[in-house]
Amino acid sequence: MPGLAPDRPGDALGLVAGGGSLPRLVAEAARASGWRVVVVRIGDGMADDWSGYEGGAYPWGRTGDAIAYMKSCGVQRMVFCGTVSHRPDFRSLIPSFQTLIRLPAALKIVRGGDDRLLRALSRYMERQGFEMLAVQDIVPQLLTPGGTLTRRMPDADEEQALVLAARAAGRLGELDIGQAVVASRDRVIALEGIEGTREMLQRVADLKSRGRIGRSERCVLVKSVKPTQDERFDLPSIGGATIEEAAVAGITVIGATAGRSLVLGIDDVLEAAEAAGIAIVGLEPDPGTANGDHGGDRP
Amino acid sequence: MPGLAPDRPGDALGLVAGGGSLPRLVAEAARASGWRVVVVRIGDGMADDWSGYEGGAYPWGRTGDAIAYMKSCGVQRMVFCGTVSHRPDFRSLIPSFQTLIRLPAALKIVRGGDDRLLRALSRYMERQGFEMLAVQDIVPQLLTPGGTLTRRMPDADEEQALVLAARAAGRLGELDIGQAVVASRDRVIALEGIEGTREMLQRVADLKSRGRIGRSERCVLVKSVKPTQDERFDLPSIGGATIEEAAVAGITVIGATAGRSLVLGIDDVLEAAEAAGIAIVGLEPDPGTANGDHGGDRP
């Protein structure tokens, strides 16, 4: 599964990089495929160390400058990835001249909220003449395979919990809300809003430590793609940090939609999961539902 | 709107009382209607001071004793109310003899999770020959009236946020999950899982203080009855504490399903809401949806 190579070796790829480990994986894979990677740091990635790559950090107020910069680098194709957890507010939009002339569009983008931010920005970029690529175009090997990926398998109770969590995640997804749900066999425990998966898992850990979740009540985490989602942006992902956070929360199985979510460094993730006694399952989307209840190949 | 009176003055009413202010309101109203109120304290209400009332505190392991006690007091009708935030686990069910003979049923009840606990317990009580009454049978004046209850009215942005939050609450309700959602005009911010409304509002306050919710982004809270809900138990409610917690979270409007939710002490609640600049709205259930999107009588 090789990633997309440039038409000519050394063609520029614009990497608009938020926080987390994903932008690095994309940059390395792109470079290995022959791209010249130009990194524009935004959101949580603003302070990350990208030495060794061309690029710069751009606050929201300088979106226009970032575009001008990428054009000057010869960027025609672009990937957005990484986390943007702070919603830009009007103060942070005090614009540079380049941004000022694009202000009406920028304001429209900001209104949509964090969750739709990358999507809205990317539509804007397309109107600016850039071609938007998906992370999985560059690094297809990140896509979650189907079936149980760990030696540890979910048991019957955990299978039931996966079904319940996947159904809830589907309902949330239809409303373009969070992508993650924690459930046990008997009930839904926690639903991701704007706080993100990490903070939701911290909440579950806290509920567990206070006895609000029974000692014998095994909990699963499901991360599910939204049916409304442009799959080029912000696919749900599982990384090393997810495993650590899930283990602290007492999660025993993590399910993610097969082929429509990302595992960031699968060897390390599976090794960490086995060590923590966590099963990882690529959930097959159910064709009968909008968002894929867990079909499951076990009874 | 008088509450249900006993067939004969002095007939016993069993009040199975969890935590919070609601059990006290019910006890006082029942006594004023001529009932002799017998208070069985459970869950978060275990340590509450109920001097002046007959009764006792019963851990889950003594459910059977509570039943025997109420029968000995001549209780035939019973109301369940108040909060039960800790899920009983198997350790807390180490049973008394009276409970032991009922253990299979008790275990079945506990499996359902906090949320269904009162409902399951109450079905069990019916099988024991008790008649289960609703809080609103005893104190009908607690039901939320329709329309805007405060002088402060929601504006157009807040109306849109109410629609979004009510739609999300409806989806959650269909899955028998939480009853509460926080949304702004543009996005759903937080969804209640097992943590309850108070902790969800603390989360929203925290997100706001960290800049994850914009300064100009007004947020509304919707509490909505579940379509699957037996309305005799655990109707969503708004009390003085809700207003305080909502104010800290920066909530500017609270909506609750008219006629299917409770306002606990409406004069005090409305006064506190006006002082905090919060509008309170009784949302009309939309007949076109299972759970009542906010129909609204304003454009």
Side-chain angles (χ1 to χ4, degrees):
Chain A
M1 262 191 319
L4 184 72
D7 295 337
R8 283 159 310 196
D11 276 357
L13 178 72
L15 175 64
V16 180
S21 61
L22 180 56
R24 186 76 50 173
L25 292 171
V26 174
E28 285 166 5
R31 197 172 256 186
S33 298
W35 294 94
R36 169 181 152 228
V37 182
V38 175
V39 181
V40 165
R41 310 199 297 276
I42 61 163
D44 303 346
M46 288 279 287
D48 287 354
D49 178 14
W50 279 93
S51 51
Y53 287 89
E54 292 172 76
Y58 288 86
W60 300 115
R62 293 186 54 218
T63 304
D65 301 79
I67 292 170
Y69 169 71
M70 281 191 283
K71 286 190 170 166
S72 77
C73 293
V75 168
Q76 289 179 328
R77 293 164 133 185
M78 200 182 277
V79 175
F80 275 27
C81 61
T83 60
V84 178
S85 55
H86 281 73
R87 181 187 178 126
D89 64 14
F90 293 100
R91 275 205 326 185
S92 73
L93 281 172
I94 293 169
S96 69
F97 179 72
Q98 280 292 338
T99 300
L100 191 60
I101 58 178
R102 297 177 167 95
L103 194 61
L107 289 176
K108 200 169 157 205
I109 288 165
V110 169
R111 283 227 74 107
D114 305 331
D115 214 43
R116 290 158 230 173
L117 193 67
L118 290 183
R119 219 185 309 160
L121 261 176
S122 80
R123 272 197 298 268
Y124 179 70
M125 292 299 182
E126 285 174 330
R127 289 196 302 273
Q128 300 296 311
F130 295 103
E131 181 188 350
M132 300 303 298
L133 300 177
V135 164
Q136 58 271 30
D137 294 331
I138 305 291
V139 212
Q141 60 270 33
L142 293 181
L143 287 169
T144 308
T148 301
L149 309 180
T150 43
R151 289 185 298 278
R152 153 106 162 78
M153 305 273 283
D155 67 16
D157 281 3
E158 290 166 335
E159 286 284 350
Q160 257 186 277
L162 283 172
V163 171
L164 186 57
R167 192 176 298 141
R171 292 297 171 93
L172 290 190
E174 287 164 22
L175 291 166
D176 195 13
I177 307 177
Q179 299 177 318
V181 172
V182 171
S184 68
R185 197 192 79 163
D186 300 313
R187 58 179 179 163
V188 174
I189 303 279
L191 303 146
E192 180 185 319
I194 67 163
E195 76 277 16
T197 305
R198 190 173 59 82
E199 292 183 19
M200 184 191 64
L201 288 173
Q202 286 168 351
R203 182 159 85 243
V204 172
D206 177 59
L207 289 164
K208 196 158 184 97
S209 73
R210 288 187 288 142
R212 297 282 299 272
I213 299 170
R215 257 170 295 266
S216 59
E217 187 177 10
R218 267 161 316 149
C219 295
V220 308
L221 167 68
V222 164
K223 298 201 74 165
S224 172
V225 73
K226 300 173 192 171
T228 55
Q229 193 152 338
D230 183 332
E231 296 191 16
R232 286 175 302 170
F233 313 111
D234 195 28
L235 280 189
S237 66
I238 299 170
T242 318
I243 305 297
E244 280 173 42
E245 292 151 11
V248 172
I251 300 292
T252 56
V253 182
I254 300 175
T257 320
R260 301 175 75 200
S261 62
L262 306 174
V263 182
L264 309 184
I266 195 159
D267 294 342
D268 292 348
V269 165
L270 293 183
E271 190 182 314
E274 298 285 7
I278 293 174
I280 309 236
V281 182
L283 303 174
E284 300 298 345
D286 181 341
T289 64
N291 196 43
D293 283 5
H294 175 45
D297 50 359
R298 288 168 298 274
Chain B
M1 264 191 319
L4 184 71
D7 296 337
R8 282 159 312 195
D11 277 357
L13 177 73
L15 175 65
V16 179
S21 62
L22 180 57
R24 187 75 50 172
L25 291 171
V26 173
E28 286 167 4
R31 196 172 255 183
S33 299
W35 294 94
R36 170 182 151 226
V37 182
V38 175
V39 181
V40 165
R41 309 199 298 274
I42 63 164
D44 303 345
M46 288 280 287
D48 287 355
D49 177 14
W50 279 93
S51 53
Y53 288 88
E54 290 173 77
Y58 289 87
W60 300 113
R62 293 186 56 218
T63 304
D65 302 79
I67 292 170
Y69 168 71
M70 281 191 282
K71 285 190 168 165
S72 77
C73 291
V75 168
Q76 290 179 328
R77 292 165 135 185
M78 199 182 279
V79 175
F80 275 27
C81 60
T83 60
V84 177
S85 55
H86 280 75
R87 181 185 178 128
D89 64 15
F90 294 100
R91 276 202 330 182
S92 74
L93 280 172
I94 293 168
S96 70
F97 178 73
Q98 281 291 340
T99 301
L100 191 60
I101 59 179
R102 297 178 168 94
L103 193 60
L107 288 177
K108 201 170 152 203
I109 287 165
V110 168
R111 282 227 74 108
D114 305 330
D115 211 46
R116 291 157 228 175
L117 192 69
L118 291 182
R119 218 186 309 161
L121 260 175
S122 81
R123 273 196 298 266
Y124 179 71
M125 292 297 182
E126 283 174 330
R127 290 195 301 272
Q128 300 295 311
F130 295 103
E131 181 189 349
M132 300 304 297
L133 301 177
V135 164
Q136 57 271 32
D137 294 331
I138 306 291
V139 210
Q141 60 272 32
L142 292 181
L143 288 169
T144 307
T148 301
L149 309 180
T150 42
R151 288 184 299 278
R152 153 107 161 78
M153 306 274 283
D155 66 18
D157 281 1
E158 289 165 338
E159 287 284 348
Q160 257 187 277
L162 283 171
V163 171
L164 185 58
R167 192 176 299 142
R171 291 296 171 93
L172 291 190
E174 286 163 23
L175 292 165
D176 195 12
I177 309 177
Q179 300 177 319
V181 172
V182 171
S184 69
R185 196 192 80 162
D186 299 313
R187 58 179 181 164
V188 173
I189 302 279
L191 302 146
E192 180 185 319
I194 68 164
E195 75 278 14
T197 305
R198 190 174 57 83
E199 293 184 19
M200 183 191 63
L201 288 174
Q202 286 169 351
R203 183 159 83 245
V204 172
D206 176 57
L207 289 165
K208 196 157 183 96
S209 73
R210 289 187 289 142
R212 297 282 299 274
I213 299 170
R215 257 171 294 265
S216 60
E217 187 177 10
R218 266 160 318 149
C219 295
V220 308
L221 166 68
V222 164
K223 298 200 72 165
S224 171
V225 73
K226 300 172 191 172
T228 57
Q229 192 154 338
D230 183 333
E231 295 191 16
R232 287 174 303 170
F233 313 111
D234 194 29
L235 280 189
S237 67
I238 299 169
T242 318
I243 305 297
E244 279 172 43
E245 292 151 12
V248 171
I251 300 292
T252 55
V253 181
I254 299 175
T257 321
R260 303 175 73 200
S261 63
L262 307 173
V263 181
L264 309 184
I266 195 159
D267 293 342
D268 292 348
V269 165
L270 293 183
E271 190 181 315
E274 298 284 8
I278 293 174
I280 309 232
V281 181
L283 303 173
E284 301 298 345
D286 180 343
T289 65
N291 195 45
D293 283 5
H294 175 46
D297 49 359
R298 287 169 298 275

